[in-house]
Amino acid sequence: MKGKIVLLGTSSAMPTKDRNNSGIYLQYKGEGFLFDCGEGTQRQIMRAGLSVYKTDYIFISHLHTDHTLGLPGLIETLDMHDKPAVEIHSVKGIKSILDCVLNGVIYAPDIEIKINEYIPEKEPFTTIDDRDFVVRAVGLNHVVDCIGFSFEEKPKVKYIKEKIKELNLSSTDFVRLKSEGFVYKDGKKIKKEDISVVQGGFKFTYIPDTYRTESIIKLARGSDILVIESTYLNEEDKAKEYGHLTLEYILEIYPKLECKKIVLTHFSRRYKDTSLFEKRIRAEGINNIVTGRDFMEFVF
Ligand SMILES: [Zn+2]
Ligand SMILES: [Zn+2]
């Protein structure tokens, strides 16, 4: 197991008895990535058996309170645990909110808060380009500036020792093959793919609050796991007015998404449970769209 994704909150607007406000935790090679931080998120992290302290990167999709209210408290906890730094990626305005709250409650943290604010763009853009992974974002179509995020592991070429031995490649042959992609050995062409396998390349996408937009497909296509808001079942008028998606629209774009698994979240309180969503998905004969629940986990 390289990592896991845990849903911390799957309700829209207000929390309910069973569903917290938005939050998703991605654990990858010992680092923690938090996507949105609604009220109560830090307790959800603890209840999920994850480490609050290890939250290294925080991505806030937009400034609505159901996605942000947990942030000052979480930062205070990280600071009290003497975490040296945390990195926040969000839309313009997150810095002034934090300044305002932390100054307002007269709390001056020592933790270094590295803030990156973005103007949403219609084409996916890179927010973090690490040795092992890349995080991209794209502007969505909500009632305020809002961005979705995707985390993608960089594929790695792994050479198979047994194959190298079997083909009797010398270190000179191997260096040449690595740089040129092939080498001739005893008159036979040996290609890089003959002695290696490509590993990794896992992709996770989070599409938070938005009305219909092509940007969803641009960012999410080909994801292993896509967590996407589905505030409404089919109430198109409400979806348009409040800038949200319906399950009906997700079913419409489903063939273009080409995702291995799609997890619905951000359900409106108008539904007492998600059975109507499940019934509609079943009617389409689709078995890789599921309704999200708090603490649902996906290991990869
Ligand atoms: Zn929301
Ligand atoms: Zn919103």
Side-chain angles (χ1 to χ4, degrees):
M1 181 183 99
K2 267 178 297 184
K4 67 177 172 179
I5 291 159
V6 185
L7 303 188
L8 301 171
T10 53
S11 175
S12 71
M14 284 176 270
T16 70
K17 187 166 63 64
D18 303 311
R19 295 180 186 272
N20 203 67
N21 277 145
S22 291
I24 304 170
Y25 198 100
L26 165 70
Q27 197 180 52
Y28 176 74
K29 290 189 174 173
E31 290 191 299
F33 303 71
L34 178 66
F35 295 86
D36 278 338
C37 191
E39 180 190 348
T41 295
Q42 60 169 321
R43 280 203 73 231
Q44 295 291 89
I45 296 174
M46 293 170 200
R47 289 184 64 203
L50 298 160
S51 165
V52 171
Y53 181 81
K54 283 185 181 158
T55 311
D56 301 296
Y57 304 93
I58 302 173
F59 303 87
I60 302 290
S61 63
H62 65 300
L63 304 182
H64 278 158
T65 49
D66 58 324
H67 299 254
T68 53
L69 275 187
L71 193 54
L74 176 68
I75 288 174
E76 199 169 328
T77 301
L78 293 176
D79 186 53
M80 284 173 171
H81 280 101
D82 295 326
K83 190 167 177 81
V86 66
E87 207 173 295
I88 298 175
H89 296 261
S90 186
V91 291
K92 209 163 168 31
I94 194 76
K95 187 176 183 313
S96 62
I97 286 184
L98 278 176
D99 285 348
C100 177
V101 177
L102 295 174
N103 288 332
V105 295
I106 318 174
Y107 185 79
D110 291 323
I111 185 170
E112 186 192 352
I113 308 169
K114 301 174 195 165
I115 296 180
N116 298 275
E117 292 185 333
Y118 305 97
I119 306 284
E121 289 172 29
K122 284 185 173 167
E123 294 297 322
F125 56 95
T126 301
T127 62
I128 303 178
D129 192 354
D130 183 83
R131 192 171 58 96
D132 293 329
F133 63 85
V134 57
V135 179
R136 293 190 183 87
V138 77
L140 296 168
N141 184 15
H142 195 32
V143 288
V144 294
D145 278 358
C146 182
I147 50 181
F149 296 96
S150 78
F151 166 96
E152 203 169 348
E153 196 184 19
K154 288 184 179 169
K156 292 234 159 43
V157 176
K158 190 173 182 285
Y159 291 96
I160 310 159
K161 276 186 196 153
E162 293 74 19
K163 283 267 181 200
I164 297 168
K165 221 172 165 183
E166 192 185 305
L167 293 162
N168 205 19
L169 294 181
S170 67
S171 51
T172 323
D173 293 333
F174 182 61
V175 169
R176 180 169 291 174
L177 182 140
K178 263 178 91 176
S179 70
E180 293 176 20
F182 65 90
V183 72
Y184 281 96
K185 183 82 183 167
D186 305 326
K188 203 178 146 215
K189 188 178 183 180
I190 297 161
K191 289 182 283 182
K192 198 173 178 177
E193 46 271 37
D194 296 333
I195 59 156
S196 66
V197 283
V198 178
Q199 290 183 331
F202 174 83
K203 181 177 176 182
F204 158 69
T205 302
Y206 171 44
I207 298 291
D209 302 20
T210 185
Y211 184 56
R212 311 167 160 242
T213 165
E214 278 290 310
S215 301
I216 299 171
I217 299 160
K218 286 179 190 164
L219 188 73
R221 179 176 277 155
S223 297
D224 292 275
I225 293 178
L226 163 64
V227 178
I228 185 166
E229 80 117 300
S230 177
T231 308
Y232 300 109
L233 183 67
N234 53 16
E235 296 85 337
E236 182 59 27
D237 291 353
K238 285 217 171 336
K240 193 171 183 182
E241 185 181 351
Y242 298 110
H244 287 297
L245 294 177
T246 59
L247 170 61
E248 221 46 57
Y249 177 69
I250 295 167
L251 293 173
E252 200 180 305
I253 61 169
Y254 172 77
K256 292 185 190 165
L257 288 169
E258 295 167 17
C259 293
K260 284 201 184 122
K261 189 165 215 106
I262 297 176
V263 185
L264 308 182
T265 186
H266 203 270
F267 299 105
S268 163
R269 289 175 80 233
R270 63 197 285 121
Y271 313 106
K272 72 174 195 323
D273 57 38
T274 51
S275 55
L276 290 171
F277 290 76
E278 283 135 23
K279 197 174 159 201
R280 182 68 190 90
I281 296 162
R282 268 201 309 274
E284 286 294 311
I286 293 172
N287 58 17
N288 65 343
I289 303 183
V290 297
T291 51
R293 289 185 316 275
D294 288 20
F295 304 115
M296 206 178 218
E297 271 189 28
F298 304 93
V299 170
F300 64 94

